[in-house]
């Protein structure tokens, strides 16, 4: 409806009525359809590369020499079959990182370079490379590292080594192939183009039916309802007849060299074939991980047998809006983000060994994982449609080293503001200011902590981002300030599709500045998304990013309490192929969309980070993004998108988040309760129990679902949800410390068991349990009616098997077998299996308040969980939680160590930090079988006795009010 046709009194009623009608009609109108998305067989470039015959002598290295004072090594690779020369370059960075780049020696047009995904500081730390020619090989080595590369001249082969050990092997199987640029030899296939146009007409996609502007820029026609928006999203890829990889869908000339049709979409391919591929072996690896995002097992199953026989479709990396995705049967198909990083893990009898690589390319990419022809190895085959061939190698030798190397060169994970690590409440959509304040008030009434309330697309004026619906949100600043009085924040959604309305300043000014992605005709691309007719900011342009950032400083209604949610940034285009942009659209610097697709969302969040800095100078941003790429960890948190209120989606969240975490992006979560449909009480409780122990903790729901705030359920359900949220708040200091660890080294917050127990090769295939940091083992309950389940708690490398129940503190007494304490445990609805690792010290705040900001100065409870040898350790990190002052050394750190019945606390850093003066109100020692004679505190030159309680039943010793603060070193002796 036309909002202007309603008076203000009737507008709210009309909005609610329209939403209710749309919600009723929407049920089941849109769902995931496998046929809406392509596979390798549907893409000519993938077919060409994947079906390539293995041929070792296809390429050879004809020259290699040092350049730029040894900081680069450049050479020539010859295509022996076609007589074409390619330019190859090697660069090395600190930490023993080698980089290989390859493209045409004399390109007809530039290939996209994805270097903006990398960290500028790391790129400046270039190492000199020593080059030595040894007969048929060149050896590239570094004076500062054991990393080296051996290049076999003919046939071309590149072996990446750590010392004498080859860890990565390129072109050992002879599958390297680079399609060089060439002049067009044939005209466009007009028949194919006509077929696509006919299919489009049959599907009813005529531009005039979405939206038209008259000469004055006024709207003549617009279809804005949620029902039509989502129906078009479904119809966009519904073919009139099934299309396969036969002649009906693919051009004959060179198998899709120059143009290609898929369903109703025609790809003009004006630059012809530009794909390339290479086989890369992870030598000695029994498992490979990474290349998110997909709903698949954590350890990536082979897609080909050792003899090359296909077992599954190859893994695809292509950011897509997969509406209501399935978690069964789509193991190799992509979702919203792509990180072309893979880490291999193996065991050589002496211990675990790891290596990794980044295939730095933003175009559509496929990856085959092959059962290794060599013993205990994993071969892979990488294929990309366009761009430069750009690979970074990480030799390890441990998985911690690999993540350290990878996040050094792509950028360390950002240090989140403290509030963002707490609980977030979201819904599409909270209706108006009164609704938001009611939700805010109910959290307090029902004693449930919450830090953030979110607003989805309906808060805007007709899906015009950076605006507010003044009838529903007449005083956004006042609303945010009311939340801010309690320490709460607000997040609003800002998507990349800009409503084509010349009365809308974001569109009008962007058009005048020529900042939109362009169609093949050179005009601003006109596609369909939530507002109707839309255009998309070209974030690859620095000018466009600056324009976008400036919008935040003029964002009407924004306050210091407002943060940002970038959604739909794959980008989602309802009437585009696969619900995204056509590949032949044009970006700045004469780059086709096909080359930058997977970085579109990355570039958007780059601009949003700059915008947040303009809105709140000196303050850390918080941005949630649905799309992501390698390096996104520098800017954003992400979530797993439009999941479902189903047990299978709860289970799938664990391997999905593990894959994202070991790919360098630690701040990730899944929508608690599932976005679609209505969870029953049991599923919702179980999801809260797990979500509270995952990095990003947000509840979210679709507009057509029933309200599901905790207090709308029965008293028992509400109580159990409250307890889960309070567990999260009690652990916020531990979570914040883990995020600092991630910021320093790239270590994931949510870790696979093998991260902590790499000596146990059996853990390599575990993805239904995980570690939260190094201290807590979590085994989600992911099926209905489960009152008992098996847990397998790994033993330490030295055989130590101490574990303690997180909920009761009791020592685990399960039998030891094959490297685990394993057996059945009770899982009543109020309890998800969580265990404290022996050797850990947890620092918790048990006085849970309504927001994290109100808990800053509260005292700590230390829980000591000794190993069987009686040792334990832990550390705690504090800063102001808001600014970048920690980069200047303004932070506070405490190290705790327990040995021989003595706890020692030593601090370092700035003791003026809020929280550094906090007291320790309680110390609980687990696994104590006999009461002590006395307990003595030594602090500040003073010695005093400490009162204590001992429980023989629980085997716990509790020291009450020891009268110490974190900023004073102390020693407590248990006699």
């Amino acid at each position: 409806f036309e909002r202007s046709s309603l008076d203000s009194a009737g507008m709210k009623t009309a909005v609610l009525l329209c939403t209710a009608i749309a919600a009723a009609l929407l049920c089941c109108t849109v769902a995931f359809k496998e046929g809406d998305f392509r596979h390798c067989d549907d893409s000519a470039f993938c077919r060409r590369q994947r079906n390539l015959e293995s041929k070792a002598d296809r390429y050879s290295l004809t020259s290699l020499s040092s350049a730029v004072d040894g900081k680069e090594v450049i050479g020539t690779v010859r295509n022996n079959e076609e007589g074409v020369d390619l330019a190859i370059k090697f660069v090395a960075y600190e930490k023993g990182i080698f980089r290989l780049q390859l493209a045409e020696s004399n390109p007809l047009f530039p290939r996209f370079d994805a270097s903006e995904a990398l960290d500028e500081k790391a790129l400046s730390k270039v190492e000199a490379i020593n080059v030595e020619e040894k007969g048929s090989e060149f050896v590239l080595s570094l004076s500062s590292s054991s990393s080296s590369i051996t290049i076999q001249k003919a046939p071309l082969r590149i072996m990446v080594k750590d010392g004498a050990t080859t860890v990565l092997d390129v072109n050992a199987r002879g599958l390297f192939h680079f399609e060089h640029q060439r002049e067009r030899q044939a005209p466009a296939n007009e028949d194919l183009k006509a077929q696509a146009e006919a299919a489009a007409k049959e599907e009813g996609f005529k531009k005039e039916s979405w939206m038209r502007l008259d000469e004055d820029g006024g709207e003549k026609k617009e279809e804005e309802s949620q029902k039509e928006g989502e129906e078009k999203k479904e119809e966009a890829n519904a073919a009139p007849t099934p299309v396969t990889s036969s002649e009906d869908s693919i051009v004959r000339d060179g198998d899709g060299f120059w143009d290609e049709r898929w369903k109703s979409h025609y790809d003009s391919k004006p630059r012809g074939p530009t794909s390339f591929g290479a086989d890369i072996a992870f030598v000695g690896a029994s498992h490979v991980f990474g290349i998110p995002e997909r709903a698949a097992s954590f350890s990536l199953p082979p897609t080909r047998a050792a003899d090359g026989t296909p077992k599954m479709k190859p893994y695809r990396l292509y950011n897509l809006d997969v509406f209501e995705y399935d978690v069964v049967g789509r193991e190799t198909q992509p979702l919203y983000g792509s990180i072309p990083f893979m880490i291999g893990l193996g065991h050589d009898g002496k211990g675990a060994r790891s290596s990794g690589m980044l295939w730095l390319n933003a175009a559509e990419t496929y990856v085959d994982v092959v059962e290794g022809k060599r013993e205990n190895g994993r071969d892979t085959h990488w294929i990309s449609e366009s761009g430069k061939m750009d690979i970074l190698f990480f030799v390890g030798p441990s998985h911690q080293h690999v993540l350290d190397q990878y996040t050094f060169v792509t950028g360390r994970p950002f240090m989140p503001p403290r509030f963002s690590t707490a609980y977030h409440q979201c819904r599409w959509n909270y209706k108006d200011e009164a609704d938001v304040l009611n939700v805010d008030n109910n959290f307090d009434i029902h004693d449930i902590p919450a830090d953030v309330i979110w607003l989805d697309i309906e808060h805007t004026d007709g899906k015009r981002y950076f605006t507010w619906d003044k009838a529903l949100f007449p005083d956004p600043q006042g609303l945010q300030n009311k939340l801010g009085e309690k320490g709460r924040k607000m997040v609003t959604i800002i998507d990349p599709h800009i409503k084509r309305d010349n009365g809308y300043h974001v569109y009008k000014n962007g058009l005048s500045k020529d900042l939109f992605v362009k169609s093949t005709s050179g005009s601003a691309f006109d596609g369909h998304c939530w507002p109707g007719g839309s255009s998309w900011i070209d974030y690859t342009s620095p000018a466009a990013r600056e324009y976008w950032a400036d919008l935040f400083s003029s964002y009407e209604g924004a306050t210091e309490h407002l943060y940002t949610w970038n959604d739909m940034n794959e980008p989602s285009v309802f009437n585009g192929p696969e619900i995204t942009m056509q590949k032949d659209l044009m970006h700045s610097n004469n780059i086709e969309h096909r080359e930058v697709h997977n970085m579109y969302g990355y570039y958007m969040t780059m601009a949003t980070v700059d915008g947040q800095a303009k809105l709140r100078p000196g303050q850390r941003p918080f941005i949630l993004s649905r799309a992501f790429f390698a390096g996104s960890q520098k800017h954003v948190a992400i979530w797993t998108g439009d999941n479902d209120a189903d047990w299978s989606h709860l289970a799938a969240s664990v391997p999905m988040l593990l894959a994202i975490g070991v790919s360098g992006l630690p701040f990730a979560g899944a929508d608690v309760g599932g976005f679609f449909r209505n969870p029953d009480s049991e599923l919702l409780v179980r999801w809260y129990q797990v979500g509270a122990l995952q990095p990003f903790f947000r509840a979210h729901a679709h507009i057509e679902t029933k309200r599901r705030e905790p207090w709308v359920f029965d008293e028992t359900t509400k109580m159990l949800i409250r307890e889960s949220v309070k567990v999260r708040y009690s652990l916020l200091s531990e979570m914040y410390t883990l995020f600092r660890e991630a910021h320093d080294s790239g270590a994931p917050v949510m870790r696979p068991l093998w991260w902590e127990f790499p000596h146990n090769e059996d853990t390599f295939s575990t993805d239904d349990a995980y570690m939260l940091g190094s201290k807590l083992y979590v085994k989600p309950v992911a099926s209905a009616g489960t009152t008992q389940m098996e847990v397998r708690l790994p033993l330490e490398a030295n055989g130590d098997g101490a574990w303690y129940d997180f909920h009761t503190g009791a020592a685990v007494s399960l039998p030891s077998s094959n490297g685990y304490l394993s057996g059945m445990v009770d899982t009543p609805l109020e309890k998800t299996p969580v265990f404290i690792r022996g050797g850990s010290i947890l620092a918790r705040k048990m006085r849970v308040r309504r927001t994290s900001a109100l808990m800053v100065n509260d005292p700590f409870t230390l829980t000591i969980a000794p190993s069987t040898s009686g040792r334990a350790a832990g550390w705690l990190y504090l800063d102001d939680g808001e600014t970048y002052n920690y980069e200047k050394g303004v932070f506070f750190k405490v190290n705790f160590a327990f040995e021989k019945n003595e706890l020692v606390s030593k601090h370092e850093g700035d003791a003026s930090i809020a929280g550094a003066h906090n007291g320790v109100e309680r110390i609980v020692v687990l696994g104590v079988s006999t009461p002590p004679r006395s307990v003595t505190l030594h602090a500040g030159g003073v010695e005093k006795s400490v009162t204590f309680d001992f429980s023989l039943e629980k085997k716990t010793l509790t020291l009450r009010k020891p009268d110490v603060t974190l900023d004073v070193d102390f020693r407590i002796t248990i006699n």
Side-chain angles (χ1 to χ4, degrees):
F1 56 87
E2 287 291 344
R3 194 176 296 279
S4 59
S5 67
L6 301 172
D7 58 33
S8 59
M11 188 175 296
K12 181 177 178 181
T13 300
V15 168
L16 295 178
L17 178 60
C18 184
T19 300
I21 293 170
L25 292 173
L26 263 172
C27 182
C28 301
T29 61
V30 181
F32 167 76
K33 292 182 179 179
E34 184 66 36
D36 288 352
F37 301 97
R38 300 174 81 164
H39 300 278
C40 179
D41 288 345
D42 300 313
S43 295
F45 82 90
C46 186
R47 285 200 311 276
R48 295 194 303 266
Q49 292 282 352
R50 197 179 190 221
N51 296 330
L52 187 72
E53 179 185 357
S54 175
K55 193 172 183 181
D57 61 354
R58 185 176 285 114
Y59 291 87
S60 58
L61 181 72
T62 59
S63 67
L64 196 72
S65 60
S66 293
V68 197
D69 297 325
K71 298 297 180 68
E72 292 182 1
V73 175
I74 58 175
T76 302
V77 170
R78 166 64 60 93
N79 181 326
N80 297 318
E81 295 178 337
E82 300 185 58
V84 175
D85 286 340
L86 304 172
I88 191 169
K89 180 171 75 172
F90 292 90
V91 180
Y93 306 108
E94 283 188 7
K95 298 182 181 286
I97 300 166
F98 275 100
R99 182 181 187 183
L100 178 161
Q101 292 179 296
L102 188 141
E104 290 86 355
S105 298
N106 298 294
L108 299 176
F109 44 82
R111 285 179 179 257
F112 177 67
D113 186 328
S115 293
E116 284 182 298
L118 304 180
D119 184 75
E120 290 184 4
K121 293 180 181 178
L123 296 185
S124 68
K125 297 177 180 180
V126 179
E127 298 275 301
I129 302 175
N130 306 310
V131 181
E132 184 178 3
E133 187 172 5
K134 294 183 175 181
S136 62
E137 296 178 340
F138 282 98
V139 176
L140 312 184
S141 61
L142 306 175
S143 301
S144 61
S145 169
S146 61
S147 303
S148 68
I149 288 182
T150 297
I151 309 169
Q152 181 179 284
K153 299 176 186 177
L156 179 67
R157 183 175 177 183
I158 299 169
M159 290 159 280
V160 182
K161 298 185 177 185
D162 181 26
T165 303
T166 298
V167 295
L168 295 157
D169 198 346
V170 182
N171 203 36
R173 296 169 58 219
L175 294 178
F176 168 58
H177 182 52
F178 193 95
E179 294 183 334
H180 61 87
Q181 299 166 3
R182 64 202 74 197
E183 298 288 352
R184 185 162 193 152
Q185 301 297 318
N189 189 322
E190 295 298 331
D191 290 342
L192 198 73
K193 187 174 182 180
Q195 291 170 19
E197 291 173 350
K201 289 180 181 179
E202 186 170 345
E203 291 167 13
F205 279 111
K206 297 178 181 178
K207 189 184 301 183
E208 293 80 3
S209 70
W210 309 327
M211 174 179 171
R212 294 185 66 178
L213 302 179
D214 63 19
E215 293 180 357
D216 297 322
E219 297 178 13
K220 283 188 174 180
K221 184 175 182 180
E222 179 182 7
E223 298 171 356
E224 273 192 332
S225 76
Q226 298 296 347
K227 179 175 183 293
E228 290 178 348
E230 293 198 10
E231 283 179 341
K232 285 186 181 295
K233 187 174 182 179
E234 178 188 27
E235 293 166 2
N237 289 293
T241 56
V243 176
T244 68
S245 58
S246 66
E247 292 186 357
D248 184 49
S249 63
I250 305 299
V251 182
R252 288 53 118 194
D253 180 18
D255 191 13
F257 268 27
W258 297 104
D259 45 10
E260 190 170 5
R261 176 173 82 86
W262 186 71
K263 297 193 175 183
S264 63
H265 301 283
Y266 175 74
D267 182 358
S268 64
K269 292 191 177 180
R271 297 178 178 180
T274 53
S275 75
F276 55 90
D279 58 280
I280 302 174
F282 288 76
V283 182
S286 58
H287 294 71
V288 289
F289 308 88
I291 57 170
E293 180 186 32
R294 65 197 71 257
S297 57
F298 178 43
S299 176
L300 294 167
T303 58
R304 284 188 182 272
D307 63 2
T309 304
K311 302 180 70 172
M312 296 193 296
K313 295 179 174 68
Y315 296 100
R316 188 184 183 206
L317 294 166
Y318 197 62
N319 294 1
L320 292 171
D321 178 1
V322 186
F323 193 76
E324 200 171 339
Y325 61 88
D326 288 337
V327 296
V328 178
R330 295 194 74 250
E331 291 84 356
T332 64
Q333 287 299 91
L335 291 173
Y336 310 93
S338 299
I339 301 180
F341 166 80
M342 185 175 283
I343 180 171
L345 186 62
H347 219 279
D348 61 7
K350 299 177 182 178
R353 162 152 214 126
S354 189
S355 61
M357 53 83 69
L358 171 64
W359 181 271
L360 186 58
N361 186 280
E364 182 179 4
T365 296
Y366 288 88
V367 183
D368 268 313
V369 175
V370 187
E371 291 174 335
K373 292 183 178 180
R374 67 198 79 200
E375 184 179 354
N376 199 26
R378 274 287 184 266
D379 291 327
T380 62
H381 184 198
W382 297 68
I383 300 167
S384 287
E385 184 176 15
S386 195
K388 283 186 177 180
M389 183 173 173
D390 195 345
I391 311 174
L392 291 99
F393 302 104
F394 314 108
V395 300
S398 72
H399 52 276
Q400 294 98 331
H401 286 111
V402 171
L403 263 290
D404 178 51
Q405 293 154 8
Y406 169 72
T407 57
F408 169 76
V409 75
T410 58
R412 298 299 192 193
F414 80 107
M415 189 65 202
R418 182 174 48 236
F419 80 85
S420 66
T421 66
Y423 175 64
H424 301 246
Q425 182 67 42
C426 186
R427 179 176 178 81
W428 176 21
N429 203 88
Y430 288 119
K431 299 187 292 289
D432 52 28
E433 287 184 4
D435 194 11
V436 172
L437 292 174
N438 183 57
V439 171
D440 167 64
N441 189 45
N442 269 299
F443 274 111
D444 300 337
I445 291 172
H446 297 281
D447 189 28
I448 301 172
D451 267 55
V452 195
I453 297 178
W454 294 53
L455 294 179
D456 212 315
I457 56 178
E458 311 305 328
H459 83 278
T460 63
D461 177 13
K463 316 300 187 300
R464 298 169 178 87
Y465 303 107
F466 297 99
T467 71
W468 301 80
D469 185 321
K470 294 298 180 63
L472 305 177
F473 295 90
D475 184 15
Q477 289 185 327
L479 176 63
Q480 294 162 55
N481 289 332
K482 287 178 182 178
L483 298 178
E485 290 172 1
K486 304 175 183 180
R488 289 195 176 120
K489 312 295 182 182
M490 175 168 278
V491 171
T492 54
I493 195 167
I494 299 179
D495 291 348
H497 47 263
I498 304 302
K499 184 180 178 70
R500 291 173 65 87
D501 172 6
N502 283 338
Y504 173 33
H505 69 287
V506 177
Y507 175 73
K508 181 180 179 180
N509 295 335
L511 190 64
S512 68
K513 296 175 184 290
D514 195 26
L515 299 178
F516 290 109
V517 177
K518 292 182 172 61
S519 68
T520 53
S521 67
S523 60
F525 169 60
D526 179 359
H528 193 88
C529 209
W530 295 126
S534 304
S535 291
W536 278 255
I537 296 287
D538 180 9
Y539 300 103
T540 68
S541 161
R545 294 199 297 272
E546 183 177 3
Y547 170 70
W548 184 259
D550 287 340
L551 292 171
F552 285 85
S553 56
S554 60
Y555 188 175
E556 183 182 358
T559 71
E560 63 184 286
H561 308 296
L562 190 67
Y563 295 81
T564 304
W565 175 14
N566 287 158
D567 197 2
M568 310 293 284
N569 54 345
E570 293 76 26
S572 178
V573 180
F574 290 170
N575 61 308
E578 302 188 273
I579 317 175
T580 193
M581 280 186 179
Q582 292 91 330
K583 291 181 177 180
D584 55 2
L585 299 183
M586 296 302 297
H587 291 265
S588 63
N589 296 321
N590 196 31
I591 296 295
E592 282 190 298
H593 182 72
R594 80 179 72 250
E595 298 197 60
V596 303
H597 176 86
N598 286 344
M599 282 184 68
Y600 183 85
Y602 174 90
Y603 278 118
M604 181 190 188
T605 57
M606 279 181 65
T608 301
V609 167
D610 292 342
Q612 288 275 322
K614 291 175 182 286
L615 178 62
R616 266 185 315 278
Q619 303 290 303
R620 290 179 234 168
F622 173 72
I623 299 158
L624 184 74
S625 176
R626 194 167 71 177
F628 54 90
F629 189 69
S632 285
Q633 71 272 6
K634 298 188 293 288
H635 307 141
V636 298
I638 64 101
W639 88 110
T640 59
D642 297 343
N643 59 356
D644 196 8
D646 186 85
W647 290 99
S648 64
H649 279 255
L650 170 56
S653 70
V654 175
M656 291 177 74
L657 294 176
L658 289 174
I660 293 166
V662 301
S663 299
L665 212 171
F667 204 178
D671 283 341
V672 171
F675 179 64
F676 287 105
R677 283 182 275 275
N678 300 300
D680 61 26
S681 295
E682 182 187 10
L683 175 58
L684 189 62
V685 167
R686 291 302 194 190
W687 215 317
Y688 266 95
Q689 290 170 344
V690 176
L693 298 174
Q694 292 176 340
F696 178 57
F697 184 28
R698 180 184 76 156
H700 186 33
H702 191 276
I703 194 171
E704 69 185 59
T705 62
K706 298 175 183 177
R707 294 293 285 257
R708 61 168 83 148
E709 291 78 17
W711 49 86
V712 307
F713 293 88
D714 61 86
E715 192 65 28
T716 298
T717 300
K718 181 185 74 174
M719 177 193 70
L720 294 176
I721 291 173
R722 178 198 296 127
E723 290 308 307
S724 293
V725 177
K726 286 191 171 184
V727 165
R728 172 60 164 234
Y729 276 73
S730 73
L731 288 167
L732 282 179
S733 296
E734 286 283 344
M735 296 292 294
Y736 198 66
T737 300
L738 288 174
F739 278 108
R740 179 61 203 236
E741 186 178 345
H743 177 69
D744 288 343
S745 68
V749 171
M750 178 177 167
R751 301 173 183 174
L753 296 188
W754 55 254
W755 188 274
E756 296 296 325
F757 305 96
H759 59 276
N760 185 338
E761 196 170 359
D762 187 67
T763 63
F764 295 3
S765 57
T766 300
D767 62 6
D768 61 352
Y770 62 91
M771 297 292 294
L772 183 62
S774 63
K775 302 176 183 179
L776 296 180
Y777 168 102
V778 183
K779 178 70 180 285
V781 177
S783 58
T786 301
T787 57
Q788 274 197 333
M789 65 191 309
E790 184 184 29
V791 297
R792 302 174 76 225
L793 304 171
L795 304 182
E796 304 291 343
N798 63 5
D800 194 311
W803 288 89
Y804 302 85
D805 189 302
F806 175 80
H807 306 283
T808 67
V812 174
S813 58
L814 295 172
S816 174
S817 176
N818 298 320
Y820 295 93
L821 297 182
S822 59
M824 302 299 291
V825 297
D826 292 333
T827 56
L829 186 57
E830 63 271 17
K831 183 179 179 180
T832 282
V834 182
F835 296 91
I836 306 172
R837 183 183 186 180
S840 304
I841 298 178
L842 283 175
R844 289 183 283 178
K845 291 186 175 182
M846 308 309 287
R847 302 184 188 184
V848 175
R849 304 184 190 275
R850 57 189 176 183
T851 64
S852 63
L854 301 178
M855 296 172 61
V856 169
N857 294 311
D858 283 343
F860 285 91
T861 291
L862 302 182
T863 300
I864 301 172
S867 65
T868 53
S869 61
R871 296 183 176 89
W875 68 291
L876 183 65
Y877 171 80
L878 304 171
D879 60 28
D880 63 24
E882 298 176 350
T883 74
Y884 291 98
N885 288 339
Y886 68 90
E887 295 180 345
K888 305 172 185 176
V890 184
F891 61 84
F892 184 79
K893 180 180 176 181
V894 188
N895 291 291
F896 303 108
F898 182 78
E899 186 175 3
K900 297 180 180 179
N901 291 323
E902 187 169 80
L903 173 66
V904 176
S905 173
K906 293 186 177 181
H907 77 278
E908 59 184 272
D910 191 334
S912 67
I913 291 291
H917 300 288
N918 291 11
V920 176
E921 65 176 351
R922 188 182 299 108
I923 299 173
V924 181
V925 187
L926 306 180
V928 180
S929 57
T930 57
R933 294 191 306 275
S934 62
V935 179
T936 307
L937 167 69
H938 310 266
V942 177
E943 180 179 311
K944 58 179 288 190
S945 295
V946 178
T947 60
F948 61 87
D949 295 327
F950 172 73
S951 171
L952 179 61
E953 179 185 1
K954 295 182 178 180
K955 289 186 169 54
T956 58
L957 174 67
T958 302
L959 314 184
R960 300 193 181 280
K961 298 182 179 179
D963 193 26
V964 292
T965 57
L966 298 180
D967 59 344
V968 176
D969 291 347
F970 65 84
R971 176 167 50 90
I972 293 177
T973 304
I974 301 170
N975 302 301

